[in-house]
Amino acid sequence: MRTTGLLLSALVLPTLLLPACAEPPAEVPDTVGELNLDLGELSLWLFAHLNDDNIDQLGVGARDMRALLQDHSAALDDHTDREPRTWGLPILDGDNLNVNVWAGADPDLQLPVGVGFRSQHSLDDHGLALQLTDQTPVETASSASYDREFLSDVGCFVDGSCDSLTARETIHRVNSLLDLVYVQEKEYRRVPLYEEEGVMILGRSWTTQQYREEAPNQDTIDQWTGMSINISEGDSTLRFNTLWGSSNLALQDSFLISQVADGMEEGYLATEAWLAAN
């Protein structure tokens, strides 16, 4: 039996609305700021527009995302309780899903979830973690291996002299649910906040095929599409990670979503510990 799409009533998740933003100046046409998007819609918009030429438009999206996260500072600062900073999201499909995913993937089977977090380390510090070719020190324990291959110049991206980065990751996932290896594509974009101090590092990842466990289990990952957001805030960093995933695991949606969210949280805490030690 395949998993079905997320029913938000199955989880107690807060509903957030993006605060109203001042109308951007005329030289920034059709900006996200004029659309007054909520958290889920803004997540879809940022995923879809990562490679846009209009950096000012992306900068408005970055500014709005920071304002939204700042509205929930108390929840983001409480690292003992994940649930108040966990959100359900809309399905990622249509023009928003503008990457080359497996043709057999059904968007309606996605189980979308996002988790926010405030890191006590600066955005520059997080550049140290981004550069790791072995990502296991900053990932969940279910990552038996997590190898990142850079396909463009990571040094210039981290030091800010170029604004785009591409990579490919080979991950061996081992937990009570799965034991398989999959490959995901990765893109990053550096985005200055529009008319404000600060920078957003926007990333997105996706798988291009179905991945299946070896016999006898034969469980699959059908979709594994994610987004990462790191936004500078002085000496700290506002973080928001999302995943739109589906598999053939015959388990309750709420349980699978909770497992994914727990994995995001484990990665956040592992990154904090690694940065503190380095």
Side-chain angles (χ1 to χ4, degrees):
M1 184 178 82
R2 298 172 65 88
T3 55
T4 58
L6 167 60
L7 298 176
L8 291 183
S9 59
L11 293 177
V12 180
L13 299 176
T15 300
L16 297 182
L17 292 178
L18 188 64
C21 297
E23 182 173 331
E27 65 266 22
V28 188
D30 301 322
T31 63
V32 65
E34 293 174 335
L35 303 178
N36 196 30
L37 302 179
D38 67 22
L39 176 72
E41 292 166 336
L42 182 57
S43 297
L44 299 183
W45 189 92
L46 287 170
F47 184 97
H49 290 266
L50 180 143
N51 286 320
D52 277 11
D53 292 334
N54 190 337
I55 193 67
D56 284 341
Q57 180 170 321
L58 273 168
V60 173
R63 180 197 67 189
D64 289 356
M65 178 59 79
R66 182 167 73 173
L68 186 153
L69 293 174
Q70 286 173 334
D71 250 13
H72 297 268
S73 290
L76 297 182
D77 286 337
D78 185 357
H79 297 174
T80 67
D81 189 0
R82 173 185 59 75
E83 288 195 8
R85 45 189 171 82
T86 304
W87 291 272
L89 304 172
I91 295 294
L92 179 64
D93 62 0
D95 291 341
N96 292 319
L97 185 57
N98 57 356
V99 294
N100 183 30
V101 298
W102 176 50
D106 182 352
D108 288 337
L109 300 181
Q110 293 172 6
L111 302 178
V113 65
V115 179
F117 188 90
R118 187 197 304 276
S119 168
Q120 298 306 309
H121 300 274
S122 71
L123 191 66
D124 286 344
D125 290 341
H126 280 274
L128 300 173
L130 187 152
Q131 294 179 81
L132 292 173
T133 55
D134 176 8
Q135 285 281 305
T136 53
V138 295
E139 282 290 334
T140 173
S142 70
S143 302
S145 63
Y146 198 123
D147 299 322
R148 177 174 290 176
E149 174 191 6
F150 293 105
L151 306 179
S152 62
D153 189 343
V154 64
C156 79
F157 183 77
V158 170
D159 70 22
S161 56
C162 61
D163 64 5
S164 298
L165 176 67
T166 57
R168 180 172 296 123
E169 298 173 333
T170 303
I171 303 161
H172 184 190
R173 185 75 60 198
V174 180
N175 56 30
S176 61
L177 305 178
L178 286 170
D179 183 351
L180 59 73
V181 176
Y182 62 97
V183 177
Q184 62 183 21
E185 307 301 317
K186 196 108 182 188
E187 293 179 327
Y188 289 100
R189 185 80 180 272
R190 176 182 292 272
V191 181
L193 273 64
Y194 187 73
E195 293 191 335
E196 292 185 5
E197 292 294 324
V199 172
M200 173 179 70
I201 302 298
L202 174 63
R204 66 181 182 183
S205 58
W206 66 96
T207 52
T208 61
Q209 66 181 71
Q210 182 190 59
Y211 289 93
R212 185 178 298 273
E213 277 188 298
E214 295 182 2
N217 291 334
Q218 296 289 292
D219 290 324
T220 66
I221 289 178
D222 300 332
Q223 300 170 80
W224 208 250
T225 304
M227 184 174 66
S228 63
I229 290 173
N230 284 0
I231 304 176
S232 58
E233 191 179 45
D235 293 332
S236 66
T237 302
L238 298 174
R239 307 193 68 191
F240 183 61
N241 287 348
T242 67
L243 186 79
W244 295 269
S246 71
S247 69
N248 73 343
L249 295 168
L251 297 166
Q252 288 188 347
D253 290 354
S254 57
F255 175 76
L256 290 170
I257 293 164
S258 181
Q259 290 291 108
V260 169
D262 285 346
M264 292 179 186
E265 181 77 350
E266 193 174 342
Y268 284 149
L269 296 175
T271 301
E272 291 295 282
W274 187 86
L275 290 174
N278 289 274

